[in-house]
Amino acid sequence: MMTQSADQTPSAEIRDAAAPAPAGLPAPIQHYIDAEFVDSADGETFDVINPVTNETYIQASAGKKEDVDRAVAAAKRAFHEGPWSSMLPRERSRVLHKIADLVEERGARLAELESFDTGLPITQALGQGRRAAENFRFFADLIVAQADDTYKVPGRQINYVNRKPIGVAGLITPWNTPFMLESWKLAPALATGNSVVLKPAEFTPLSAGLWAGIFEEAGLPRGVFNLVNGIGEQAGDALVKHPEVPLISFTGESSTGQLIFANAAPHLKGLSMELGGKSPAIVFADADLEAAINATIFGVFSLNGERCTAGSRILVERSIYDEFVERYAAQAERVRIGYPHQPETEVGALVHPEHFEKVMSYVELGKTEGRLVAGGGRPEGFEAGNFIQPTVFADVPHTARIFQEEIFGPVVAITPFDTEEEALQLANDTKYGLAAYIWTNDLKRSHNFAQAVEAGMVWLNSNNVRDLRTPFGGVKASGLGHEGGYRSIDFYTDQQAVHINLGEVHNPVFGKAD
Ligand code: NAD
């Protein structure tokens, strides 16, 4: 794993301005297996880096196959011995609500850890914590309201569905908003009675340890939740290839998803894949321009641009293009870059120097592919750490790599269009299909465009505000399957159909006696 380069040694001033490491951290960050915090079987650890200084601030246990085997064995035993897997939904729901209460109560600590570890602005980390609690509340309510299908053929047959938890679910998560994205998988997996093994991202393992205390206090039985830290190719790979883990829910890069798909194939596992994106925001001339600019600024610069649904390509109708670009660039220049712990910060530090290098290489590439109208490098006064100015390129052709490839940072490409047809062509012209944002006051056009755009989720005249009941997921290289609401319940359960005869036994008789 890369550490800081020599020319980025933080000065004393930066060390003073940066937040101190949160008090009371474990050393090292450990696994949590069968209700105990433990080191890796081989004692190995890996470095975790402070994104503001790029100095290693803590070690985390590097899980391998042996650690994953122990975690899966604990989860399997808990699943088979119960009581979690056989509890009444109402009882499980009470525990889940308690978990949500505890996440809310610990919101400040959670945000402190999350912001320090990821570089996310503290106000946004606080918001992600609230969303994590809401995910638990939502599934707590959903499982008690859940009704399963029954079908009646009068006088002949009744058919009903037994919904059953599947067993041990493997949950593999990325480093952007780690705690919230973990909650998104943990809540439905646990609500439905499964046991879990969570493998958080190695760039940001700090906040995941909070789950252990929260779950214990809320009354989740021993062994139902297990956590193995480690490198994707080691701990993650062992989980994917474990024969006793029938489900893998993965969020991360499309290329990692492809690899996991192949590795899971010999075991025919259930897979849910939430992958990368390069989502378009399409702004027509009749749109509310002020609202569209505010939304498209927030849509790509919030969460440091490290956001799967970021509207990182903005397509603008030619008649308002110049005005849009001018206003957008001016506003992007005003976005407040700052230390993650400061409440006024709108864009903090990118997660890791490796990711910083990747995003910076796209910024440099963009200078040859488009017209730089805002940002374009490291902000003044932040000579160390992973700080990048909100960067805007205009006149970007659809063939450009910054138009086609996911950058996952505060970088946006703006492209003009002349007709609705051309806008649709441009919107669909990438391998991804996660989200799309359409800005127009033409009712017919908005709905017809939404229908035609290749995206799993569309927002009309709106930022990314999602009702938890709606499907979440992408098409094309952005994902496989949908989560959200009852679709998550479907993923984490088997639906067994039971057929009962109500009438005469309907037997075509073979071998009838004459
Ligand atoms: P990543 O694919 O590098 O890693 C994600 C997780 O997979 C990590 O825990 C990693 O350790 C693990 N992993 C890596 N290689 C593995 C392997 N061979 N086997 C098993 N596990 C392995 O992704 P990232 O860089 O952490 O996250 C950023 C990506 O996630 C972006 O592409 C972003 O768009 C995507 N993302 C998608 C959504 C969504 O809902 N669609 C949400 C958030 C992030």
Side-chain angles (χ1 to χ4, degrees):
M1 193 162 282
M2 188 174 146
T3 49
Q4 61 175 85
S5 56
D7 60 338
Q8 274 193 27
T9 305
S11 62
E13 272 170 350
I14 290 207
R15 285 219 182 89
D16 288 348
L25 295 186
I29 296 172
Q30 290 176 298
H31 312 307
Y32 181 78
I33 299 175
D34 210 10
E36 279 174 32
F37 280 105
V38 291
D39 290 332
S40 288
D42 64 6
E44 268 195 34
T45 59
F46 61 93
D47 292 347
V48 187
I49 286 171
N50 173 355
V52 165
T53 61
N54 280 334
E55 293 176 313
T56 297
Y57 78 96
I58 202 166
Q59 298 287 311
S61 299
K64 313 268 170 51
K65 184 174 179 305
E66 201 178 334
D67 307 292
V68 169
D69 286 349
R70 279 164 58 210
V72 173
K76 200 179 159 204
R77 197 180 58 248
F79 183 76
H80 289 294
E81 289 177 2
W84 187 250
S85 51
S86 53
M87 263 187 192
L88 291 176
R90 169 60 74 198
E91 291 171 0
R92 281 207 295 265
S93 174
R94 276 202 191 99
V95 176
L96 296 173
H97 272 300
K98 187 86 200 293
I99 292 169
D101 292 342
L102 290 166
V103 170
E104 279 167 2
E105 273 169 32
R106 289 171 201 182
R109 172 68 172 171
L110 162 62
E112 182 195 15
L113 298 189
E114 195 80 319
S115 171
F116 187 85
D117 199 28
T118 61
L120 281 181
I122 187 78
T123 50
Q124 297 171 37
L126 279 164
Q128 295 299 317
R130 288 192 291 272
R131 187 69 166 181
E134 189 55 31
N135 280 333
F136 271 90
R137 263 192 221 301
F138 175 80
F139 284 104
D141 291 342
L142 195 59
I143 47 160
V144 287
Q146 168 91 31
D148 283 314
D149 295 335
T150 53
Y151 305 92
K152 201 166 173 193
V153 187
R156 290 209 184 154
Q157 206 182 43
I158 215 169
N159 309 274
Y160 70 90
V161 167
N162 266 335
R163 196 178 277 273
K164 305 196 266 192
I166 295 177
V168 181
L171 313 178
I172 303 178
T173 49
W175 48 258
N176 66 320
T177 63
F179 194 84
M180 194 285 286
L181 286 175
E182 289 153 16
S183 76
W184 186 345
K185 299 184 188 306
L186 287 166
L190 296 174
T192 44
N194 296 283
S195 297
V196 304
V197 177
L198 169 67
K199 208 303 279 174
E202 56 267 45
F203 281 179
T204 55
L206 186 57
S207 58
L210 288 179
W211 288 118
I214 289 170
F215 289 157
E216 254 176 52
E217 208 174 315
L220 191 74
R222 179 187 188 100
V224 173
F225 166 74
N226 301 274
L227 161 70
V228 178
N229 285 296
I231 308 302
E233 292 77 4
Q234 297 173 350
D237 186 65
L239 194 54
V240 169
K241 292 178 178 163
H242 200 296
E244 290 181 307
V245 177
L247 287 180
I248 296 288
S249 177
F250 169 76
T251 300
E253 283 187 19
S254 300
S255 55
T256 315
Q258 286 174 310
L259 188 62
I260 289 179
F261 196 87
N263 288 340
H267 304 283
L268 295 172
K269 297 193 181 207
L271 291 174
S272 171
M273 300 249 166
E274 303 291 359
L275 308 175
K278 188 77 183 177
S279 301
I282 305 101
V283 184
F284 287 94
D286 67 343
D288 173 344
L289 203 54
E290 176 82 10
I293 290 174
N294 285 332
T296 50
I297 288 268
F298 182 81
V300 73
F301 300 131
S302 56
L303 306 179
N304 297 340
E306 297 162 324
R307 179 173 196 148
C308 57
T309 49
S312 50
R313 294 181 294 143
I314 307 179
L315 312 175
V316 183
E317 193 162 359
R318 179 101 47 197
S319 59
I320 56 161
Y321 183 74
D322 289 342
E323 183 190 352
F324 184 95
V325 170
E326 195 180 316
R327 287 175 61 179
Y328 193 91
Q331 191 156 332
E333 293 277 2
R334 293 196 298 269
V335 170
R336 288 190 197 85
I337 305 163
Y339 291 105
H341 69 286
Q342 293 171 335
E344 62 276 13
T345 295
E346 292 172 334
V347 170
L350 300 194
V351 69
H352 191 277
E354 271 176 27
H355 185 58
F356 173 86
E357 293 302 337
K358 175 186 150 184
V359 176
M360 263 312 193
S361 74
Y362 277 108
V363 169
E364 289 311 313
L365 178 67
K367 292 174 187 171
T368 67
E369 290 187 322
R371 174 167 62 96
L372 179 69
V373 292
R378 185 182 275 285
E380 238 175 79
F382 294 89
E383 70 273 17
N386 306 318
F387 294 92
I388 294 190
Q389 290 174 310
T391 295
V392 184
F393 292 104
D395 311 345
V396 178
H398 70 105
T399 47
R401 282 182 56 204
I402 62 162
F403 187 96
Q404 293 291 338
E405 298 174 17
E406 185 182 43
I407 300 174
F408 218 55
V411 182
V412 66
I414 310 184
T415 305
F417 67 84
D418 289 301
T419 63
E420 194 176 319
E421 225 175 23
E422 191 193 355
L424 183 64
Q425 220 167 32
L426 288 168
N428 290 342
D429 184 24
T430 69
K431 66 175 183 173
Y432 296 107
L434 192 54
Y437 306 86
I438 303 168
W439 290 88
T440 176
N441 278 315
D442 183 325
L443 189 66
K444 281 190 194 161
R445 173 161 64 195
S446 62
H447 291 290
N448 289 330
F449 203 101
Q451 171 84 33
V453 74
E454 292 166 0
M457 295 166 284
V458 179
W459 278 269
L460 299 178
N461 297 320
S462 169
N463 219 319
N464 179 336
V465 178
R466 188 176 151 258
D467 179 323
L468 288 177
R469 292 169 296 182
T470 59
F472 185 102
V475 297
K476 295 157 70 179
S478 288
L480 190 70
H482 281 84
E483 297 191 15
Y486 63 80
R487 297 153 207 88
S488 298
I489 303 277
D490 282 350
F491 177 70
Y492 290 106
T493 53
D494 277 328
Q495 295 182 57
Q496 177 191 55
V498 181
H499 308 275
I500 306 147
N501 180 25
L502 295 180
E504 297 246 323
V505 178
H506 181 69
N507 272 345
V509 180
F510 280 18
K512 207 175 191 174
D514 290 332

